[in-house]
Amino acid sequence: MKIFLRNARVIEPSGKYDGLFDILIVDGAMQEIGSSLGGNPVNYEINLRGKFVVPGLFDMHTHLREPGQEYKEDIASGIAAAANGGFTGIAAMPNTDPVVDSAGVVKYVLDRARQSGLVGVYQIAAITEGRKGERLSEMKDLSEAGAVAFSDDGSCVTNSHVMRLALEYSSMLGKPVIQHCEDHELTKFGSVNESPETIRYGLKTQHRVAEELTVSRDIQLLEAFGGKYHATHISTAKSVEIIASARKRGLPVTCDVTPHHLFLEDSVLGTYDSDYKVNPPLRTGKDNEALIEGLRSGAIDAIASDHAPHALHEKEVEFDAAPFGLIGLETTVGAVMTRLFHQKVMDMRAIVNVLSVNPRKILGIPVPEFNLGARAELTIIDPDCEWEVEPEKFKSKSRNTGFKGWKFKGSAVGIINGEKFYFSERLK
Ligand code: DOR
């Protein structure tokens, strides 16, 4: 199989190839990289003038829902959504049914994912048995089975002793503990951010300090006991501040933010649309600004989608009864290009860092190389593609997006992952 990409604006981390290139991919490897290549017959020839070719994007926080909740999403549909969104790799969270807290379930997911091969699927295993926060899972066995990290995502490890042990194991195994930062005692009475707006809407609220307390406590544990610590989907200005100051003191803490926490504010809850019900909750415009600044300054390492599919019948209920979560694999690149690239907050190189390089580094996964002979793992991004978010067109099984009706400028239009590839209908 020969694929010939012409006139691609290459952005790759080493900086060796920085400009317009033709790329000939033969049987999944980059056989020629140069200018004005051509001549030999190929299976696909695509003129990419005006489009970026970047190392395959990686989403470090996806919910695939398999095993156990395949009516929301399954490995195959999650892979299709990831490919359509421009991701060549994803890491799946373990809050499935059964929970991914045994080597058998890790192997099950990895085997099933390998059958497709279009998108690299990595598994994050639970920190505690059943994600109950009480007894540590068999982290070593899980690691040996292939887990790349540990998280009780959806719940927080609130027990400080258990968290200490998890951090100690993370050092031993060299794999991060990914914390969903939430003091459950402080959040059990409400689901949306406590702010004048949400109180006026009459919604049951929870205070931001529930997240910030956990971030602070974990950093103290990290300082005392060491470990590899990552805070996922941070959502408040203060969380950014706490993490930035810990990093200044040399602590190895990393974190990610979601597109919905970057670009949506809690005033949207006046619609009472349960698609906006997420955990952590949407915060204020000031938080959005601080998170964007955190990304720009490098205090936040990565953007992660927290793709959290739920079925229509689960979301179409009264607000309090609806589950937390919205889907993000197919809107992340559009939102990032529209709000960060075109508004000149971040250039393409910085975007590649937060959507491809850093998530892999955090999880200890090699970053795809851009070099002669290397396996091609690439995402094609059209910065000028204008499109509207129409949930019924998603490849995901679910429709619960927080960006429905948004008009985006910029889209992933294809991926190449070794011998597998996917080109979207938006590739023009
Ligand atoms: O909104 C969320 N949904 N936040 C989480 O932490 C879990 C996720 C889910 O699994 O649906």
Side-chain angles (χ1 to χ4, degrees):
M1 168 66 71
K2 293 187 180 180
I3 301 176
F4 184 36
L5 307 177
R6 281 200 293 126
N7 299 312
R9 173 71 178 95
V10 173
I11 307 277
E12 55 85 28
S14 82
K16 187 169 148 199
Y17 295 93
D18 185 3
L20 279 187
F21 290 94
D22 294 345
I23 309 159
L24 178 66
I25 299 164
V26 179
D27 297 335
M30 289 186 270
Q31 199 179 75
E32 290 181 48
I33 305 170
S35 51
S36 311
L37 301 179
N40 299 326
V42 293
N43 303 84
Y44 291 90
E45 176 170 336
I46 306 167
N47 188 349
L48 294 182
R49 185 167 295 283
K51 300 180 184 62
F52 292 108
V53 163
V54 304
L57 305 184
F58 193 97
D59 185 31
M60 65 180 296
H61 190 141
T62 295
H63 296 273
L64 288 178
R65 305 301 192 209
E66 186 176 346
Q69 294 182 313
E70 289 84 351
Y71 64 97
K72 298 176 195 247
E73 196 80 284
D74 58 26
I75 294 167
S77 65
I79 284 177
N84 198 35
F87 295 96
T88 60
I90 54 179
M93 281 295 174
N95 58 337
T96 48
D97 184 13
V99 169
V100 187
D101 63 358
S102 68
V105 190
V106 174
K107 286 184 185 146
Y108 167 85
V109 175
L110 297 181
D111 283 349
R112 296 266 296 161
R114 222 167 277 133
Q115 288 165 21
S116 150
L118 174 59
V119 169
V121 174
Y122 297 82
Q123 183 63 51
I124 298 167
I127 299 172
T128 65
E129 284 176 13
R131 294 175 49 253
K132 294 202 181 94
E134 292 158 9
R135 285 162 53 102
L136 216 57
S137 63
E138 294 290 346
M139 287 174 65
K140 185 160 181 287
D141 288 357
L142 290 160
S143 172
E144 282 165 7
V148 288
F150 301 90
S151 180
D152 276 2
D153 182 61
S155 307
C156 178
V157 178
T158 53
N159 180 315
S160 303
H161 176 63
V162 174
M163 193 59 189
R164 169 193 176 164
L165 295 177
L167 285 170
E168 288 174 339
Y169 269 83
S170 77
S171 296
M172 247 173 342
L173 301 170
K175 295 188 174 172
V177 166
I178 300 178
Q179 179 73 294
H180 164 125
C181 301
E182 174 183 355
D183 181 330
H184 294 295
E185 288 303 316
L186 280 167
T187 58
K188 65 185 176 193
F189 302 109
S191 56
V192 305
N193 183 47
E194 185 174 321
S195 74
E197 263 100 0
T198 54
I199 291 170
R200 190 155 43 81
Y201 302 148
L203 291 164
K204 291 185 186 143
T205 62
Q206 51 164 270
H207 200 273
R208 60 183 54 241
V209 80
E211 172 176 311
E212 294 152 358
L213 273 181
T214 307
V215 176
S216 299
R217 179 211 63 173
D218 286 351
I219 286 171
Q220 292 208 33
L221 291 172
L222 182 69
E223 202 157 9
F225 305 111
K228 274 176 91 82
Y229 176 77
H230 179 88
T232 190
H233 52 43
I234 62 161
S235 66
T236 79
K238 183 95 176 253
S239 293
V240 183
E241 202 182 297
I242 298 166
I243 289 169
S245 108
R247 284 157 73 124
K248 271 202 195 110
R249 285 183 281 129
L251 288 172
V253 43
T254 55
C255 64
D256 67 67
V257 63
T258 70
H260 46 280
H261 290 111
L262 286 168
F263 309 126
L264 296 174
E265 52 184 279
D266 61 3
S267 55
V268 295
L269 288 155
T271 60
Y272 300 97
D273 181 341
S274 65
D275 283 347
Y276 297 124
K277 181 174 173 183
V278 280
N279 192 10
L282 300 178
R283 307 288 184 185
T284 64
K286 282 214 160 67
D287 293 298
N288 295 162
E289 281 166 28
L291 292 164
I292 291 171
E293 176 52 25
L295 255 188
R296 204 200 50 75
S297 70
I300 299 176
D301 304 85
I303 296 176
S305 79
D306 194 2
H307 178 80
H310 292 292
L312 216 57
H313 71 269
E314 294 172 307
K315 280 290 198 179
E316 282 186 343
V317 292
E318 60 183 293
F319 197 88
D320 285 340
F324 290 103
L326 56 78
I327 53 176
L329 282 171
E330 292 169 88
T331 48
T332 293
V333 171
V336 165
M337 293 302 287
T338 306
R339 289 297 190 91
L340 300 180
F341 178 77
H342 287 296
Q343 295 193 5
K344 300 198 176 0
V345 178
M346 292 168 84
D347 64 14
M348 208 53 206
R349 191 164 290 281
I351 289 171
V352 166
N353 281 335
V354 297
L355 273 175
S356 176
V357 177
N358 295 348
R360 285 189 176 85
K361 280 194 179 154
I362 291 164
L363 297 177
I365 295 166
V367 178
E369 271 180 54
F370 194 92
N371 250 327
L372 273 183
R375 183 175 175 281
E377 185 169 348
L378 308 167
T379 297
I380 305 167
I381 294 175
D382 180 350
D384 298 317
C385 169
E386 298 194 25
W387 60 287
E388 183 173 331
V389 178
E390 296 169 284
E392 60 287 357
K393 295 201 174 150
F394 286 149
K395 306 286 180 203
S396 167
K397 282 189 187 178
S398 289
R399 302 286 173 257
N400 53 312
T401 171
F403 292 106
K404 59 184 145 291
W406 279 49
K407 293 194 169 60
F408 285 144
K409 185 171 180 186
S411 176
V413 291
I415 61 167
I416 297 175
N417 197 358
E419 299 202 7
K420 305 273 175 153
F421 55 91
Y422 167 83
F423 299 128
S424 116
E425 339 174 309
R426 293 196 197 118
L427 179 60
K428 297 247 163 57

